[in-house]
């Protein structure tokens, strides 16, 4: 399970599409994580919603607002400039244009903002020292370390990176776990009722995984509650270990009910034939961290990811990424689906290992739902 809460502060998109005729700047600082996984951050933090501006002055104001006052260090900022009308979907990698020549005249009260904006439009943050410095300054100001899957900010350190991540170290019901048939409670259990329909999806490369934010009427019913599907994402290898086996990959389908409780369905993915749903998702996979690409309408049917045999293991656990919040209902489907080696390779080229190690079970009951 994935809850990206800290990411590089300013990650310009490469899909800036520029035109001399009519400017519209869509400025969105999005917290993909926020949408995806609750233990919500404190409501005191303001959100920057996607906005549009129709003239250069508005553009400047929006950028200034975003960078100067309300941008959060753990939010990604995407600045996209396109010639379409406000609200149109950003195009992907269309007509990369020498950006410096195209920069609109923006009233500039703040040098740093202008530099950052120019870099954002160029799509090459690192190539602009001033902007890179600005980004670093923001990072330093936040005093945050970014969590990772290896190195000094790896899973062993998550609990110490920020006070909010405490549970990663001190929690007693953490995920993932090793599931062993000999140690489960076996017996009847209600089936998970899946109600998934063709939906709209946006594929997000959030710097920790590939995630699909889902918009549509998708829900599961279990334990007398209906949980709406928010997003799904992938880990390699599988975080779950079942009877001492880890699979090449796992998909986590993250749902939330009206009370804000989370339920995650894990679909294990084993080597085999190509996976139809993954093929669709990979087709729209953004390669750069911080990018997102909208899939064609109704292309996504998450039901394609489910095995016919939907027996599962059930237990209470946590987010498997910081802040490692507990109280998450986990359902690990026993029957794996397949993905091809080429599909796996494409993911591992971006994320060779994004799996948290298994955590102590601490005498938690694990139900074998037969
Ligand atoms: Zn996950």
């Amino acid at each position: 399970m994935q809850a990206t809460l800290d990411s590089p502060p300013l990650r310009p998109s490469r899909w800036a599409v520029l035109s001399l005729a009519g400017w519209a700047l869509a400025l969105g600082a999005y917290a993909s994580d926020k949408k995806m996984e609750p233990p919500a951050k404190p409501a005191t933090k303001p959100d920057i919603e996607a906005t549009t501006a129709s003239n250069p002055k508005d553009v400047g104001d929006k950028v200034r607002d975003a960078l100067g006052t309300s941008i959060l260090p753990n939010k990604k900022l995407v600045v996209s400039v396109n010639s379409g009308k406000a609200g149109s979907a950003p195009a992907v990698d269309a007509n990369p244009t020498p950006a410096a020549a195209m920069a609109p005249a923006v009233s500039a009260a703040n040098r740093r903002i202008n530099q950052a904006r120019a870099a954002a439009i160029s799509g090459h943050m690192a190539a602009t020292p001033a902007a890179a410095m600005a980004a670093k300054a923001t990072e330093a100001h936040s005093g945050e370390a970014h969590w990772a899957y290896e190195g000094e900010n790896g899973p062993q350190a998550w609990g110490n990176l920020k006070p909010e991540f405490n549970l990663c170290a001190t929690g007693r019901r953490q995920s993932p776990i090793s599931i062993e048939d000999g140690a489960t409670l076996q017996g009847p259990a209600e089936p998970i009722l899946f109600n998934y329909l063709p939906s709209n999806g946006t594929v997000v490369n959030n710097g920790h995984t590939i995630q699909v934010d889902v918009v549509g009427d998708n829900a599961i019913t279990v334990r007398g509650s209906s949980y709406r599907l928010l997003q799904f994402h992938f880990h390699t290898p599988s975080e779950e270990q079942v009877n001492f086996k880890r699979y090449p990959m796992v998909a986590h389908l993250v749902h939330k009910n009206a009370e804000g409780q989370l339920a995650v369905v894990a679909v294990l993915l084993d080597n085999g034939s190509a996976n139809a749903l993954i093929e669709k998702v990979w087709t729209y996979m953004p390669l750069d961290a911080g990018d997102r690409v909208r899939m064609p309408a109704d292309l996504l049917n998450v039901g394609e990811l489910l095995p016919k045999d939907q027996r599962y293991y059930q237990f209470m656990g946590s987010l498997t990424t910081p802040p490692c919040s507990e109280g998450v209902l986990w359902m690990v489907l026993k029957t794996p689906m397949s993905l091809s080696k080429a599909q796996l390779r494409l993911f591992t080229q971006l994320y060779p290992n994004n799996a948290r190690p298994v955590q102590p079970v601490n005498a938690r009951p694990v139900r074998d739902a037969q």
Side-chain angles (χ1 to χ4, degrees), residues 12-362:
S13 155
R14 281 200 180 157
W15 34 255
V17 179
L18 307 176
S19 163
L20 288 172
W23 286 90
L25 182 145
L27 178 66
Y30 62 85
S32 51
D33 321 89
K34 217 172 143 6
K35 283 179 202 159
M36 62 191 210
E37 307 199 339
K41 285 174 289 188
T44 52
K45 295 185 175 181
D47 287 332
I48 303 165
E49 298 299 337
T51 58
T52 56
S54 55
N55 64 57
K57 175 147 192 329
D58 289 346
V59 168
D61 291 341
K62 297 289 181 191
V63 171
R64 186 177 308 109
D65 288 346
L67 290 177
T69 58
S70 53
I71 188 169
L72 301 173
N74 58 356
K75 298 272 175 103
K76 293 165 191 151
L77 174 67
V78 173
V79 178
S80 77
V81 180
N82 64 45
S83 57
K85 48 185 181 290
S88 63
V92 178
D93 283 336
N95 298 328
T97 312
M102 315 280 291
V106 174
S107 66
N110 183 320
R111 189 168 59 92
R112 178 187 139 210
I113 290 169
N114 278 345
Q115 288 163 335
R117 185 176 61 80
I121 292 172
S122 79
H124 294 287
M125 191 75 187
T128 310
M133 281 166 57
K136 271 203 178 318
T138 305
E139 195 169 324
H141 177 70
S142 78
E144 279 184 19
H146 294 133
W147 62 269
Y149 284 101
E150 55 188 25
E152 60 180 12
N153 292 340
Q156 78 291 340
W158 290 353
N160 301 320
L161 293 177
K162 292 170 71 174
E164 302 95 286
F165 296 174
N166 252 350
L167 272 177
C168 300
T170 61
R172 300 277 298 161
R173 291 156 82 86
Q174 289 287 293
S175 291
I177 58 170
S178 172
I179 300 165
E180 296 164 32
D181 277 341
T184 57
L185 304 176
Q186 303 195 0
E190 59 173 336
I192 308 166
L193 298 180
F194 288 94
N195 184 15
Y196 289 166
L197 296 169
S199 301
N200 297 338
T202 298
V203 190
V204 182
N205 181 335
N206 66 20
H208 299 289
T209 188
I210 299 298
Q211 173 177 314
V212 182
D213 291 338
V214 183
V215 176
D217 197 8
N218 300 284
I220 58 171
T221 302
V222 67
R223 304 215 306 192
S225 187
S226 176
Y227 296 78
R228 196 170 61 84
L229 177 65
L230 304 178
Q231 51 97 341
F232 62 94
H233 60 266
F234 302 87
H235 299 272
T236 186
S238 74
E239 297 192 303
E240 298 75 8
Q241 185 172 301
V242 181
N243 293 324
F244 309 101
K245 176 179 169 67
R246 283 184 113 177
Y247 290 80
M249 184 172 273
V250 67
H252 285 163
L253 285 54
V254 182
H255 308 73
K256 187 166 75 164
N257 70 5
E259 286 74 48
Q261 296 164 323
L262 294 177
V264 183
V265 173
V267 180
L268 299 163
L269 294 158
D270 207 350
N271 291 317
S273 54
N275 185 296
L277 184 90
I278 288 177
E279 196 68 17
K280 291 175 187 172
V281 173
W282 274 202
T283 299
Y284 297 95
M285 175 195 287
L287 301 182
D288 287 345
D291 273 2
R292 43 198 295 134
V293 177
R294 196 176 299 178
M295 298 173 75
D298 288 342
L299 180 67
L300 188 66
N301 188 344
V302 186
E304 293 175 7
L305 197 56
L306 302 173
K308 285 197 179 69
D309 182 344
Q310 294 169 354
R311 287 179 291 176
Y312 62 101
Y313 299 102
Q314 183 191 75
F315 54 93
M316 293 306 294
S318 73
L319 304 183
T320 66
T321 56
C324 306
S325 315
E326 299 188 337
V328 178
L329 173 63
W330 278 91
M331 290 159 287
V332 178
L333 299 184
K334 293 182 182 180
T335 304
M337 293 293 278
S338 69
L339 87 167
S340 69
K341 288 202 165 135
Q343 289 178 323
L344 178 63
R345 192 181 315 118
L346 179 55
F347 186 91
T348 55
Q349 282 170 336
L350 293 177
Y351 295 107
N353 176 359
N354 65 342
R356 186 188 195 192
V358 292
Q359 305 294 305
V361 175
N362 292 327

